[in-house]
Amino acid sequence: MPDTVQGRPVVEICRSGHRSRQTAELPASRDIDAVDVPEGIAPRARAGRPVVDEGGRGGRIA
């Protein structure tokens, strides 16, 4: 089973999904459970789903 960071998988996400796909390759190559969100965050926000920052506060897409 792949390693995790602090017991949780690493989630790679960006606005469009392109950069997160590239950055997920490095942890995966080191056997760290890295999950890419291929569609990115923009469709999630457009659908009205919550976008929050690491502190649980309302996030925004730049």
Side-chain angles (χ1 to χ4, degrees):
M1 176 147 94
D3 288 335
T4 57
V5 176
Q6 296 181 346
R8 298 178 294 181
V10 175
V11 177
E12 303 282 344
I13 191 166
C14 69
R15 186 179 49 186
S16 68
H18 180 71
R19 290 168 300 214
S20 63
R21 181 175 49 251
Q22 292 174 327
T23 62
E25 293 173 3
L26 179 61
S29 73
R30 296 181 179 175
D31 206 27
I32 294 173
D33 190 5
V35 179
D36 175 33
V37 179
E39 66 277 3
I41 194 78
R44 178 181 180 87
R46 282 194 302 270
R49 298 182 68 197
V51 177
V52 297
D53 67 12
E54 63 275 359
R57 299 174 298 269
R60 67 180 183 85
I61 300 173

